[in-house]
């Protein structure tokens, strides 16, 4: 996907919406060392497809991908805030939370749940915690979602608390243990009705993912089709 998006950005009309969309796709999906190095070049304003400018949105996407791999420095994030004072602080908080570092995860978790944290920053911290591929680093936060996050949010009935309940859910730990942990919290009946609805919805989405994996693994037919005989 990243290779195709990069190639397409090079062929697309210079500076047009198609080129910007393909560049964003490359920034989101880059994985190989050479692709990540290319993103570093883009940040420096080099090796860009003709006509492409690294605006605030693309810069944020690039820094999130690099941050998730520990490749974005504090100076990069500070420059983002300087270039985009409106949303840069929130994106920088997400980037710092995405770093594959235990201290970064602890800081983001605490900031997301602290009542004193400004709501945009709280959401920014929360959005960066759960990163695919960081399962081992985040394993403890599955239980902490139930023991820490849900009780903290239950007493803060607000739209922000609802968003945080969704963003902090251990969605990347797609295994039956996640359903068991959150399901136990639902069965205890100690959650407010609004929070129970959110967790139940998130559990249903995760259960659908697990069911799809089983179907794909066993080669079961799609609904409405007949298996080969």
């Amino acid at each position: 996907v990243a290779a195709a998006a990069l190639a397409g950005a090079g062929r697309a009309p210079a500076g047009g919406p198609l080129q910007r969309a393909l560049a964003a796709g490359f920034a989101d999906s880059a994985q190989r060392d050479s692709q990540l190095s290319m993103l570093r070049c883009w940040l420096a304003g080099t090796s860009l497809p003709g006509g492409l400018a690294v605006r605030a949105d693309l810069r944020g996407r690039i820094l999130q991908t690099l941050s998730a791999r520990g490749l974005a420095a504090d100076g990069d994030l500070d420059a983002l805030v300087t270039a985009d004072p409106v949303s840069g602080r929130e994106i920088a908080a997400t980037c710092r939370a995405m770093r594959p570092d235990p201290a970064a995860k602890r800081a983001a978790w605490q900031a997301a749940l602290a009542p004193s944290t400004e709501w945009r920053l709280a959401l920014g911290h929360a959005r960066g915690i759960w990163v695919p591929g960081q399962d081992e680093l985040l394993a403890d936060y599955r239980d902490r979602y139930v023991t820490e996050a849900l009780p903290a949010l239950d007493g803060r009935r607000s739209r922000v608390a609802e968003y945080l309940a969704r963003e902090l859910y251990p969605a990347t730990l797609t295994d039956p243990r996640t359903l068991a942990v959150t399901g136990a919290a639902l069965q205890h009946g100690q959650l407010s009705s609004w929070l129970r609805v959110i967790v139940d919805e998130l559990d249903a989405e995760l259960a659908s993912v697990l069911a799809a994996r089983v179907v794909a693994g066993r080669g079961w037919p799609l609904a409405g089709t007949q298996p080969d005989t």
Side-chain angles (χ1 to χ4, degrees):
V1 172
L6 179 60
R11 296 191 298 265
L18 177 58
Q19 185 185 59
R20 292 196 297 272
L22 289 167
F26 173 65
D28 287 342
S29 57
Q31 296 186 37
R32 298 176 180 174
D33 290 343
S34 59
Q35 294 168 346
L36 298 173
S37 295
M38 177 68 72
L39 291 182
R40 292 291 322 175
C41 290
W42 283 16
L43 280 182
T46 62
S47 302
L48 289 162
L52 180 67
V54 181
R55 300 175 180 174
D57 177 67
L58 179 57
R59 182 174 295 274
R61 290 173 180 270
I62 291 172
L63 287 173
Q64 287 183 55
T65 295
L66 294 176
S67 294
R69 292 158 179 81
L71 299 175
D74 287 337
D76 298 323
L77 304 183
D78 293 339
L80 175 66
V81 177
T82 301
D84 183 14
V86 177
S87 59
R89 291 173 63 239
E90 181 180 348
I91 298 173
T94 299
C95 289
R96 288 189 167 90
M98 294 179 76
R99 287 170 167 169
D101 174 60
K105 298 300 180 185
R106 286 195 299 271
W109 185 266
Q110 293 169 1
L113 291 176
S116 60
T117 304
E118 194 268 328
W119 71 270
R120 291 184 184 275
L121 285 181
L123 291 175
H125 289 297
R127 290 191 181 108
I129 291 174
W130 296 101
V131 178
Q134 296 181 356
D135 295 4
E136 184 175 349
L137 184 65
L138 292 164
D140 291 343
Y141 289 88
R142 173 166 35 203
D143 290 325
R144 292 178 67 175
Y145 179 74
V146 171
T147 61
E148 297 178 12
L150 292 182
L153 298 173
D154 210 3
R156 296 160 56 186
R157 182 70 169 95
S158 67
R159 183 62 60 88
V160 176
E162 293 178 11
Y163 286 142
L164 287 172
R166 296 181 184 278
E167 295 292 349
L168 294 173
Y169 181 85
T172 64
L173 300 182
T174 50
D175 57 54
R177 173 160 169 70
T178 298
L179 290 180
V181 169
T182 54
L186 291 172
Q187 291 176 4
H188 289 162
Q190 297 178 349
L191 300 179
S192 298
S193 58
W194 69 270
L195 196 51
R196 289 179 59 83
V197 169
I198 291 176
V199 177
D200 192 52
E201 289 177 355
L202 294 169
D203 275 2
E205 293 174 6
L206 180 55
S208 296
V209 172
L210 294 175
R213 285 184 175 179
V214 172
V215 172
R218 295 182 180 178
W220 289 355
L222 297 174
T225 64
Q226 297 295 323
D228 295 332
T229 57

